[in-house]
Amino acid sequence: MPDPATAPLQDVIAARLTDALAPTHLLVTNDSAQHRGHAGDDGTGESHFSVVVESAAFAGLSRVARQRLVNRALADLLETRIHALAIVAREPGA
């Protein structure tokens, strides 16, 4: 697991989601450059992210329940380092 204090936040997010959800597909995108100067931009270039995650852990869950699983895996980062997170969470084959 990358060190959250020194590794790029994009890598930390990917590692956390991999550990928590064993995804069959995962794409983490740093969208921070698109939000430069906007609310929540802390100047680090690591404040706004999008994730697309496909996992069997989502089978039978609602969209909200899926997003809660993602948020739980990243809870401390959402409180301290991530200002915005767009989530697409789906089960395999959906």
Side-chain angles (χ1 to χ4, degrees):
M1 169 95 50
D3 180 356
T6 58
L9 191 51
Q10 185 171 348
D11 295 346
V12 175
I13 292 168
R16 294 265 187 102
L17 294 177
T18 298
D19 287 348
L21 301 170
T24 54
H25 173 76
L26 177 62
L27 176 63
V28 180
T29 305
N30 184 341
D31 300 321
S32 301
Q34 299 169 358
H35 300 276
R36 196 168 319 147
H38 298 170
D41 175 24
D42 61 5
T44 65
E46 295 189 314
S47 58
H48 294 70
F49 294 88
S50 299
V51 298
V52 177
V53 57
E54 178 180 277
S55 173
F58 298 141
L61 298 180
S62 70
R63 179 183 57 83
V64 171
R66 293 171 184 190
Q67 290 183 348
R68 285 182 180 148
L69 286 178
V70 171
N71 287 340
R72 189 174 304 133
L74 304 174
D76 63 314
L77 299 174
L78 288 165
E79 289 178 11
T80 59
R81 296 182 61 194
I82 300 172
H83 174 73
L85 180 66
I87 302 168
V88 174
R90 60 182 177 245
E91 63 185 281

